[in-house]
Amino acid sequence: MTTLSTLNKFKKDGTKFTCLTCYDSMFARMMEKAQIDTILIGDSLGMVVQGHNSTLPVTVADMVYHTANIARSNEHALILADLPFMSYVTLPDAIANSRQLMQAGAHVIKIEGGSELCELVTTLAQAGTPTCVHLGLTPQSVNVFGGYKIQGRGDEAANKLLEDAKAVVKAGAALLVLECVPAELAKAVTQAVTVPVIGIGAGADTDGQVLVMHDMLGMVHGRVPRFVHDFLTDERNTEHSVEGAFALYKQSVREGSFPNSQHEFS
Ligand code: KIV
């Protein structure tokens, strides 16, 4: 079973680890077979499961439902679950909603933002709830960004992101996710913090990689993001199976062949 200690050891010895989003039981079982290290019940389920065009409509009840489905079906992975949009603005809301996700089977709660989350991160850590802070392109803030855009470009933005990362780690964050940031910045953050960093569209130098499961199985509605690779139709997946795609993803991340320079931003 993967724990935070496993991931910390991976960071120390340079073993690249895998994360995939997952929302239902059968896929969670297949990910267990492929020994995917960590699973994220992402609020991306608003798009890939519910058909919305953003993560904003997702509720705590939705997240609890999907988290429980996964927790029943996978004993290998460390399970991360998103607190959805506006469910952690106040400390009492954040605590009550985190409790629901942890009781549904999450091991780590993921929240989006920067240093403004420090008080919440410390409070949850003291209450036995590890957090993963998602920085860079944080989809719950799509209306602040004015679209899904690369973040952390330019010295000022890069510095702010680096300082935010250090601050939340100092406050007690157990993991970081970096989404759609220049590869060089992701490398600097990964080297600057003591906790494991998981990247998506953040280059090859983060400690772990995450992809939305539907994307890596070639099920994309609209434009395929640059950082996505279709592991289902990859010729190395000789069985052309979903399980084969998960196994190939794990192998590719471990050996360092995914992601490569074609998948990163500068
Ligand atoms: O909700 C999600 O799937 C995510 C990943 C893109 C990291 O946050």
Side-chain angles (χ1 to χ4, degrees):
M1 149 123 214
T2 311
T3 64
L4 283 170
S5 309
T6 318
L7 300 189
N8 283 316
K9 187 171 167 296
F10 283 165
K11 181 174 179 103
K12 273 206 188 93
D13 68 19
T15 303
K16 301 285 183 186
F17 64 88
T18 46
C19 181
L20 284 174
T21 68
C22 192
Y23 319 97
D24 75 26
S25 168
M26 191 52 82
F27 285 116
R29 291 189 199 286
M30 290 183 186
M31 287 183 195
E32 184 174 68
K33 262 197 174 171
Q35 301 276 284
I36 297 299
D37 304 296
T38 67
I39 283 180
L40 168 66
I41 298 96
D43 56 2
S44 52
L45 71 84
M47 278 114 122
V48 297
V49 177
Q50 298 174 336
H52 299 295
N53 63 6
S54 78
T55 60
L56 274 53
V58 177
T59 65
V60 173
D62 295 333
M63 294 307 305
V64 168
Y65 171 79
H66 288 279
T67 299
N69 290 342
I70 303 304
R72 277 193 287 271
S73 314
N74 187 306
E75 288 181 2
H76 175 73
L78 183 79
I79 297 177
L80 282 58
D82 269 331
L83 272 180
F85 181 61
M86 296 284 265
S87 67
Y88 49 103
V89 178
T90 66
L91 270 186
D93 274 0
I95 293 165
N97 294 328
S98 300
R99 182 177 61 225
Q100 287 197 60
L101 287 180
M102 295 297 278
Q103 289 179 339
H107 304 127
V108 178
I109 299 299
K110 183 162 82 60
I111 46 183
E112 298 184 4
S115 54
E116 74 282 0
L117 295 173
C118 284
E119 189 186 2
L120 171 57
V121 165
T122 305
T123 304
L124 289 177
Q126 285 169 348
T129 299
T131 52
C132 172
V133 175
H134 183 156
L135 301 121
L137 172 49
T138 45
Q140 291 173 14
S141 300
V142 60
N143 292 305
V144 176
F145 298 144
Y148 296 98
K149 298 175 184 168
I150 312 306
Q151 300 296 311
R153 277 189 170 141
D155 288 350
E156 200 182 322
N159 255 337
K160 172 158 181 9
L161 195 145
L162 183 58
E163 291 310 314
D164 277 346
K166 288 186 197 165
V168 293
V169 170
K170 194 166 172 216
L175 295 171
L176 300 181
V177 162
L178 291 182
E179 177 167 356
C180 289
V181 300
E184 211 178 302
L185 173 60
K187 182 176 181 179
V189 172
T190 305
Q191 289 174 347
V193 298
T194 47
V195 302
V197 178
I198 307 174
I200 173 165
D205 291 313
T206 54
D207 304 302
Q209 296 291 329
V210 57
L211 285 175
V212 170
M213 181 194 76
H214 293 66
D215 289 350
M216 58 82 74
L217 294 177
M219 294 185 278
V220 180
H221 177 63
R223 195 176 55 83
V224 181
R226 179 187 176 91
F227 52 82
V228 167
H229 177 74
D230 178 351
F231 287 90
L232 186 66
T233 58
D234 188 308
E235 62 186 15
R236 292 168 299 166
N237 178 12
T238 46
E239 295 165 11
H240 305 295
S241 67
V242 170
E243 279 175 38
F246 292 160
L248 180 59
Y249 170 66
K250 169 139 182 181
Q251 180 195 323
S252 304
V253 170
R254 277 279 204 273
E255 72 191 13
S257 62
F258 178 84
N260 61 40
S261 55
Q262 287 172 355
H263 302 112
E264 68 187 34
F265 301 103
S266 51

